[in-house]
Amino acid sequence: MRGAVPSSDVDFSTVRAEFELVEQFPDEVQAEADAAADRHADARVDRRDIEFVTIDPPGSKDLDQAVHIAADGEGYLVHYAIADVGALVAPGGALEAETRRRGQTMYLPDGSVPLHPRSLSEGVGSLLPEQDRPAVLWEIRLDASGEVTAATVRRATVRSRAQLDYAGVQADFDAGRVHPSVALLPEVGRLRQAWARAHGAIELRLPAQEAFRGADGWELRIEPRTDFDGYNAQISLLTGVCAAKIMLDAGVGLLRTLPAAPDDAVAALRRTAKALGQQWPKGATVGEFLAQVDVSTPRGLAVMSDAARLLRGSGYAAFGPGLAALPEDASHAGVGAPYAHVTAPLRRLADRYATEVCLAAVAGTEVPAWARDALTDVAETMQRTNGIANKVDRACIDLTEAVILGDRVGETFDAIAMREDQVLLDDPAVIALCNGKPPEGERVRVRLESADVATRKVAFGFDGTLV
């Protein structure tokens, strides 16, 4: 591939240094993780009978979730096992303090900077196949339309039967040999996608760049996504919606929030869609309209890019006695309902604390003080580290783009104008600023004006040439 560069030419250590990302943990933190033991071993139900499987990117070791879906009369029974990190991290210890500082795992193309020491996140806490593991087990019943009829959660011991990956599951399904534990996942996933659209959820389907080390060096590509990616995500979203309802009913918790799209932003999207010849069916919500936009076409991609402006202001809301009041708009526009993060505790701090609230609420007991008293601080930590994570991701992509294009200044490239100031190249998979106001939704030819590795900035120019 013309866009590949030798691996040694992209040095992500500069990004680590800039954002002060250090993988190594203090000795006392590492020692706690190495000695981690199940603090709730005597309070678990044995559910090793459920044939769970995990679905993650190839090579993943920090496995947060395991799933099993079965028919339940005319509906469905979803079992979702989540790594029980709260049972492995002692409150008040050095490990808890360090994770509250880190907030979340940071991912870079050449490796991660984990939230927890790997002996926990990739060892005793991970839902690795053929290993007995402490888990928080969600049991969610759905009717034939995908509506939740019951949801409960408790601590359990589980045993995953297989570690699957998205592309492999998709290939198996296409070949008619999908694992029986997830054979119903497409049905449930599609029902929940329809449920989300009916509740006004806005799902953006934009190209996500990915830097990866290929056979000839670092390359850029649009991150591959399968239908099963979307279906599997719906199970996590479903669980988060159930968790939010449990916490709202209990009057205490930690929500992930995203305000509804402002009316003026929706009006602007309608104008863009009309200008680009994209039909907005009468009476269709924003989410319903976007669901039928074909992002494989230049104009469809431009509309979806413009829609990204609808979703602004995401945050976390801690609420309850002695905490802040519940926000007036506590819903999540991307989900179509109140929502909470509870399904990735190995990689995200908030999930551990929100899960403890749910466990207590369902059991009818008091929320542990260590969890309740930390909710506000955890919300602030998540907000802060989300900003860092986004900057780290962008910095890594920008650096790779600058290195790959460093010796090609002056060359021309075919591209799609996503906006009047942004283009997506055909090859390499670069999304960059472009001067000259290329017409949105058109295929254009652009010239590389600059590629500065030191500043990680790449810029193109448009002289009016359409492809």
Side-chain angles (χ1 to χ4, degrees), residues 223-390:
E223 185 177 354
R225 294 178 180 175
T226 68
D227 290 340
F228 262 90
D229 289 322
Y231 303 149
N232 194 52
Q234 285 300 318
I235 303 303
S236 183
L237 294 173
L238 164 66
T239 306
V241 169
C242 292
K245 184 178 188 306
I246 288 171
M247 289 188 284
L248 288 169
D249 289 346
V252 59
L254 178 62
L255 302 182
R256 179 67 165 142
T257 61
L258 181 64
D263 291 341
D264 58 346
V266 175
L269 178 64
R270 285 184 176 275
R271 291 192 295 271
T272 298
K274 183 177 181 180
L276 294 174
Q278 302 292 299
Q279 183 178 4
W280 194 311
K282 185 177 181 180
T285 65
V286 175
E288 290 168 338
F289 164 66
L290 292 176
Q292 53 90 49
V293 170
D294 184 358
V295 294
S296 68
T297 66
R299 295 193 173 196
L301 181 59
V303 168
M304 193 65 68
S305 179
D306 191 72
R309 307 178 194 188
L310 300 176
L311 302 181
R312 294 287 188 270
S314 61
Y316 285 85
F319 65 96
L323 306 175
L326 187 69
E328 184 175 338
D329 183 4
S331 193
H332 192 293
V335 179
Y339 171 67
H341 276 159
V342 292
T343 63
L346 291 172
R347 294 170 281 174
R348 198 168 49 204
L349 181 68
D351 304 51
R352 185 198 317 163
Y353 294 85
T355 292
E356 291 297 332
V357 177
C358 292
L359 286 166
V362 169
T365 61
E366 289 291 323
V367 177
W370 66 263
R372 184 194 63 241
D373 295 347
L375 291 177
T376 298
D377 180 68
V378 169
E380 293 171 353
T381 297
M382 291 305 306
Q383 194 72 6
R384 172 179 60 82
T385 58
N386 277 348
I388 295 172
N390 290 335

